[in-house]
Structures are given as structure tokens and as C-alpha cells.
Amino acid sequence: MKVNEGAMVLEAGSSKKNKTGSWRTFKPVVTEKCVGCGTCVNFCPEGVIKIENKKAKIDYDYCKGCLICMNVCPFKAIEKVKE
Ligand code: SF4
Ligand code: SF4
């Protein structure tokens, strides 16, 4: 029986090529309540949030939808949306 390959890193230096955003069930969406405090940037385990124009910006190509950012935001500025 052939076992399908899944979530495997098959070569070194391939993290940019493997767009892991497709793993998401829920997508974190930054709302107008964001004040750009940067808390979510510090907690995102994937390092895919940056602050641009005083607002959090998420790179959805690599965000895995863990929603840690939503849970740590002191301003409740991130909402979850079903993919
Ligand atoms: S933690 Fe909340 S308010 Fe702070 S930058 Fe992130 S989304 Fe914006
Ligand atoms: S859902 Fe998880 S991976 Fe995506 S931006 Fe938030 S903390 Fe980062």
C-alpha cells in the first residue's frame, strides 16, 4: 500500500516554496480596532505578521490559522472567519 506524503519537508531551504496557508480551517482577519501595538507579531509562531501603517498585516500564504494572534490581541482586533 502506498502512503501519501503529507506535511513533509523533503528538501532543505524549501520553507518559502511550501505555502502552508492552505492548512487553515479558520482565517484571522485584522479589523479596524487594530492599533498596531505589535503583540500579535511577538506571539505568532509562524512569524507571518508585520506592522504596516500602524496596523497588523498577515501573510496568508503561510498563516496556519492557529488563532494565537486573535487570543493574545489586547484590543480584540482580530476576528476568525471560516475558510
Ligand atoms: S495585537 Fe491586536 S491591536 Fe496589536 S497589532 Fe495585533 S491585531 Fe493590532
Ligand atoms: S493564526 Fe497563527 S499563524 Fe496565523 S497569523 Fe495568527 S498566530 Fe500567526
Side-chain angles (χ1 to χ4, degrees):
M1 186 181 86
K2 185 177 184 315
V3 178
N4 291 331
E5 290 165 357
M8 288 174 68
V9 176
L10 300 172
E11 57 182 285
S14 61
S15 61
K16 277 208 165 163
K17 215 163 54 182
N18 296 324
K19 296 202 170 170
T20 48
S22 61
W23 296 6
R24 278 193 311 271
T25 306
F26 288 102
K27 179 181 184 172
V29 175
V30 180
T31 69
E32 71 290 341
K33 287 193 237 168
C34 174
V35 298
C37 71
T39 304
C40 56
V41 176
N42 294 329
F43 280 87
C44 173
E46 303 302 323
V48 297
I49 310 176
K50 59 183 173 183
I51 303 295
E52 265 184 25
N53 299 322
K54 296 186 180 168
K55 198 170 176 185
K57 188 172 178 218
I58 297 169
D59 184 344
Y60 291 117
D61 279 349
Y62 302 100
C63 160
K64 296 193 179 92
C66 67
L67 300 177
I68 289 173
C69 52
M70 182 184 84
N71 290 314
V72 299
C73 175
F75 298 92
K76 306 279 179 241
I78 297 180
E79 291 177 355
K80 70 173 179 183
V81 175
K82 187 121 173 60
E83 287 281 355

